[in-house]
Amino acid sequence: MIRLLFIVPYPELEKTIRYILENHPEKGRISADVLVRSVDEVERLSVTSYDAAIARGYSARLLRSAFPHTPVVDMVISGYDIMRTVMECKNAYGAKRIAVCGFFGKIYEAAALGREFGCEMELYSPDTYRELEKNVEEAKRNGCDALIGGFSSGRYAQKYQLPFRLIRTGEDTVFLALNEAIRTVEEVRKERLRSETYKTIIDSSKNGILFVDCRGAIQVRNHTARAMNRQDSLMNKLLKEVFPLLYPAYKEALASGQEIGGRIFKLPGSQITVSVSFTPVIVNNTISGIVILMSDITQVQKLEGQIRRTLSQKGLQAKYTFEDIIHESEIMDATIETARRYALSESNVILVGETGTGKELFAQSIHNASNRKSGPFVAINCAALPENLLESELFGYVEGAFTGTVKGGKMGLFEQAHGGTLFLDEIGEISMAIQTKLLRALQEREIRRIGDNKVISVDVRIVSATNKSIHKLAEQGLFRRDLAYRLDVLRIFLPPLRKRGEDISLLFLRLLQQLGREQNCPVPRVEAADLKILREHSFLGNVRELQNVAERVWALRNGGRITARELAAAMEPPDLEMDADTGKEREKVLEEGLPDERAMIQQALALCRGNQTKAAKMLGIDRSTLWRKMKKYG
């Protein structure tokens, strides 16, 4: 709804306005009041509750001066209104010299119109309505035989006995003024909406914002900037006095017309360190001032922390620490101590060891013991994905980069791991093409999404793992040597389970306890003497194989105790292929003519893939004899 106030000098005009309002095409949007008031009465009115006011002549001028924030539309006197009034005055009074007195814009057209009708026109345009009486008296003295003008002019014409005709406002003038008022109100509302939007954006910004004009005076300051320097008012104060450290860069931006960014300052009188940018405001090829954007570095760090916590909530976090690594052996004590020291470094770590030795457990523990523990931990098995899919997972892609992309693109693992650790398992399996892109990411600390033309800076520590020597792969031309040196900075060798004899029983019992908790069942008893059989096994699958043994024993258990026989059955389940070929393999060993017993045992173990029972059977000896010989030869 548009709320309007009409102020008119005579009742007849009110009737005209009412008629126009009732027949206007947009009458449903208009709520209007019409007041009949003289000029001296207008001074006592208030129009602040209306969207706009509409008045004539000096009344309009007076309202515009008294209420600068309320639009005032003038019902402008038309040339037709003047022409009609001149004709009425000449016909009624036979006037030859007519005075025109008023505050309307068309007054200077009256002279030309008078000549058309054979009249001489005298023009009087007072600055204030208090001068009207003086003008009317002067017109009488100058020999004018009639006067035309506004309603107030008529009162003084009567006083000085000068014939008078009122310049009336026609329907066209009212209609045009009403349309102008509607248009003005709509524009004002749009401008206010735009202004409030900009004000809200500026004040809701977490960055401090200043606008400094070309004279160096501060014209705009938002709430954040106010909080940064804690001064009540900075309007029209000079930048070099309030923020002297910012002034040189402001002058540089003003002189060059180019944006300046990335400047770091400590604000005077506070402990706040800010990153500041200076952006020129250019209007009609002229710099009108500089927008200064100040980012509180501490707040930025807090925001990054919130982002990291959000990523952690999505599962990008490390669950395990060094305390979760179950062991008693000295070799594991030494390995963990080395890993703890490496965790405090920012250098890349490579974990080398056989399958099942706990490489991811160590990777997570290193992350949680590092200065990056608050950041995300992101892991990927490089051997589990084909080359093209691995590339998109690592580096991400933009929308439309290839068929089947997610709308809006996808963030890669490097971006997700920003500020944290990226664990690349089975790094030796990646293709040469991916190696090249990975090398660039490590060298430049930036990545480029697939299909994008811009780079993204990343801060990521790489922990990789392999069960192969990447340096031997490099000698074979299967791995980039420069990438190998980038990854293999801090190396940790994870000992196989067979080198951790005192840990085997401990791990096995802990695995049984875990199965008991998962299935809510009591854990069966195992005698220490029966556990010795575990230490005689080679466990080529390491902890992973030991876990399989525990699960088999759990499934085969009979009562509240696990015997050595059940353990043996769980460690060496029947293997059809080996049973059929045992004789042939033994013959192969004997036919090789190996020079000594040690070499024969090694060959048998290799052919049986480390299975000591099968190797003993192949050599024609029992398992305990094989185990003693293995201990003998180390």
Side-chain angles (χ1 to χ4, degrees):
M1 186 65 69
I2 298 175
R3 186 165 171 75
L4 302 176
L5 173 64
F6 283 86
I7 300 174
V8 299
Y10 55 92
E12 292 84 358
L13 183 54
E14 179 184 4
K15 294 178 182 179
T16 303
I17 291 170
R18 299 282 185 196
Y19 174 78
I20 295 297
L21 288 171
E22 290 173 1
N23 293 278
H24 196 275
E26 297 192 62
K27 62 182 179 181
R29 299 176 56 207
I30 302 170
S31 172
D33 292 329
V34 184
L35 300 179
V36 181
R37 297 290 187 272
S38 61
V39 174
D40 54 343
E41 293 175 315
V42 169
E43 291 181 313
R44 296 190 292 272
L45 294 176
S46 174
V47 300
T48 54
S49 61
Y50 295 92
D51 294 317
I54 304 172
R56 286 194 357 157
Y58 192 75
S59 294
R61 187 186 302 181
L62 195 62
L63 289 173
R64 198 173 286 115
S65 175
F67 304 100
H69 299 297
T70 301
V72 177
V73 176
D74 199 341
M75 286 188 285
V76 179
I77 301 298
S78 69
Y80 175 76
D81 295 333
I82 296 175
M83 181 178 67
R84 182 184 60 221
T85 308
V86 170
M87 283 292 298
E88 290 176 358
C89 189
K90 183 177 179 182
N91 293 335
Y93 308 119
K96 297 295 184 180
R97 190 172 188 181
I98 301 173
V100 183
C101 188
F103 308 98
F104 37 85
K106 296 288 185 178
I107 189 171
Y108 295 102
E109 294 183 11
L113 290 170
R115 286 192 296 270
E116 294 295 328
F117 295 103
C119 299
E120 185 179 349
M121 309 296 292
E122 290 277 351
L123 307 180
Y124 299 91
S125 181
D127 292 328
T128 69
Y129 79 93
R130 293 183 177 86
E131 297 177 9
L132 276 173
E133 183 176 1
K134 180 181 178 181
N135 289 150
V136 173
E137 182 185 9
E138 184 179 356
K140 176 76 172 179
R141 192 170 55 247
N142 289 340
C144 293
D145 50 9
L147 183 143
I148 65 174
F151 189 80
S152 298
S153 301
R155 290 188 299 174
Y156 295 115
Q158 185 178 8
K159 178 179 178 180
Y160 290 98
Q161 297 181 349
L162 192 62
F164 174 77
R165 283 289 175 174
L166 177 67
I167 301 177
R168 300 181 182 277
T169 300
E171 292 181 1
D172 289 344
T173 299
V174 174
F175 185 79
L176 291 174
L178 178 56
N179 287 345
E180 178 64 17
I182 294 171
R183 187 194 66 79
T184 301
V185 170
E186 289 176 341
E187 288 299 319
V188 168
R189 286 179 176 177
K190 288 179 183 178
E191 185 58 34
R192 285 176 180 168
L193 175 61
R194 189 180 302 114
S195 176
E196 285 301 315
T197 300
Y198 290 152
K199 184 176 183 298
T200 301
I201 291 172
I202 291 172
D203 282 340
S204 64
S205 173
K206 302 303 180 184
N207 297 319
I209 299 175
L210 299 174
F211 173 70
V212 185
D213 65 22
C214 56
R215 299 177 296 111
I218 298 172
Q219 299 299 329
V220 175
R221 178 182 66 162
N222 72 343
H223 294 316
T224 306
R226 183 180 295 111
M228 284 179 174
N229 78 318
R230 300 176 183 176
Q231 293 188 27
D232 291 337
S233 177
L234 294 183
M235 290 300 294
N236 292 315
K237 289 188 177 181
L238 296 178
L239 179 70
K240 63 181 178 182
E241 297 175 357
V242 182
F243 297 104
L245 293 176
L246 306 185
Y247 188 69
Y250 156 81
K251 292 291 289 183
E252 183 181 343
L254 198 63
S256 66
Q258 301 296 317
E259 180 179 356
I260 297 173
R263 300 293 177 88
I264 306 296
F265 300 97
K266 186 174 182 180
L267 296 181
S270 73
Q271 298 299 316
I272 298 175
T273 302
V274 292
S275 173
V276 187
S277 64
F278 302 80
T279 304
V281 177
I282 301 176
V283 180
N284 296 328
N285 296 321
T286 302
I287 299 176
S288 60
I290 303 293
V291 172
I292 300 176
L293 188 68
M294 299 180 289
S295 302
D296 186 338
I297 292 176
T298 304
Q299 294 299 323
V300 172
Q301 291 171 341
K302 288 181 179 178
L303 181 60
E304 288 185 351
Q306 292 173 0
I307 294 172
R308 287 195 295 268
R309 284 191 292 274
T310 301
L311 290 174
S312 295
Q313 291 168 3
K314 294 180 179 179
L316 301 180
Q317 59 182 6
K319 297 182 292 184
Y320 300 110
T321 66
F322 288 118
E323 284 68 27
D324 295 313
I325 301 176
I326 302 166
H327 71 288
E328 289 180 341
S329 61
E330 293 182 0
I331 191 171
M332 283 302 291
D333 278 336
T335 304
I336 291 172
E337 178 60 25
T338 300
R340 286 185 188 275
R341 295 187 180 187
Y342 284 175
L344 300 176
S345 170
E346 283 293 305
S347 300
N348 294 333
V349 177
I350 189 167
L351 303 168
V352 296
E354 297 176 5
T355 298
T357 50
K359 292 187 280 294
E360 181 160 357
L361 179 61
F362 266 83
Q364 293 192 25
S365 300
I366 289 170
H367 172 79
N368 278 330
S370 73
N371 294 327
R372 295 173 175 265
K373 60 185 178 183
S374 298
F377 176 84
V378 181
I380 185 172
N381 188 319
C382 298
L385 300 173
E387 178 181 325
N388 59 343
L389 188 54
L390 177 62
E391 180 182 2
S392 67
E393 286 294 312
L394 287 174
F395 304 110
Y397 55 79
V398 295
E399 184 177 351
F402 47 81
T403 303
T405 56
V406 175
K407 185 177 181 180
K410 180 182 177 182
M411 179 186 293
L413 298 184
F414 266 96
E415 290 178 72
Q416 293 181 42
H418 179 69
T421 303
L422 177 59
F423 175 50
L424 303 177
D425 197 8
E426 298 195 55
I427 190 66
E429 303 298 328
I430 63 175
S431 68
M432 294 297 286
I434 300 296
Q435 290 178 35
T436 301
K437 294 191 175 185
L438 181 58
L439 176 64
R440 176 173 178 80
L442 297 182
Q443 287 177 333
E444 306 298 332
R445 291 186 174 271
E446 58 187 28
I447 58 99
R448 191 195 307 269
R449 289 187 182 185
I450 298 173
D452 205 352
N453 57 4
K454 66 177 183 295
V455 295
I456 301 170
S457 297
V458 290
D459 174 22
V460 174
R461 185 188 192 185
I462 301 295
V463 176
S464 55
T466 180
N467 56 12
K468 302 176 181 178
S469 169
I470 58 175
H471 293 285
K472 288 184 178 179
L473 291 175
E475 291 175 359
Q476 300 168 13
L478 300 176
F479 204 89
R480 290 186 62 117
R481 194 176 296 275
D482 44 6
L483 177 59
Y485 286 119
R486 284 279 180 182
L487 296 171
D488 189 8
V489 179
L490 305 177
R491 185 190 304 174
I492 299 174
F493 174 75
L494 303 187
L497 191 59
R498 59 184 174 275
K499 298 289 186 180
R500 302 166 50 191
E502 50 267 66
D503 293 341
I504 296 175
S505 298
L506 179 65
L507 284 167
F508 178 75
L509 293 174
R510 188 66 62 88
L511 289 169
L512 290 181
Q513 292 172 3
Q514 181 178 339
L515 289 168
R517 285 194 301 271
E518 291 174 355
Q519 301 184 25
N520 195 24
C521 293
V523 179
R525 187 177 74 259
V526 186
E527 299 294 338
D530 294 332
L531 288 172
K532 290 182 180 179
I533 193 172
L534 292 173
R535 299 184 63 174
E536 297 175 1
H537 191 66
S538 59
F539 285 109
L540 293 184
N542 294 291
V543 178
R544 194 169 295 133
E545 183 181 350
L546 180 63
Q547 184 174 9
N548 291 344
V549 171
E551 292 184 12
R552 290 193 198 108
V553 167
W554 186 269
L556 294 172
R557 72 189 187 282
N558 184 15
R561 179 187 172 189
I562 295 176
T563 64
R565 183 172 181 175
E566 290 172 330
L567 284 172
M571 284 190 295
E572 299 172 5
D575 190 320
L576 180 62
E577 180 182 355
M578 287 301 298
D579 286 344
D581 296 338
T582 297
K584 293 181 180 178
E585 289 179 355
R586 182 181 178 213
E587 290 176 4
K588 181 177 180 181
V589 171
L590 298 175
E591 288 173 0
E592 291 287 340
L594 296 174
D596 54 33
E597 187 179 50
R598 178 179 182 177
M600 182 180 293
I601 291 171
Q602 290 175 341
Q603 180 71 7
L605 287 169
L607 289 170
C608 297
R609 300 176 183 176
N611 190 309
Q612 296 177 15
T613 300
K614 295 172 184 175
K617 193 173 183 180
M618 180 185 300
L619 295 170
I621 58 179
D622 60 33
R623 181 187 171 90
S624 60
T625 302
L626 174 62
W627 181 78
R628 286 196 303 273
K629 291 180 180 293
M630 289 173 63
K631 295 289 284 184
K632 173 183 176 182
Y633 295 124

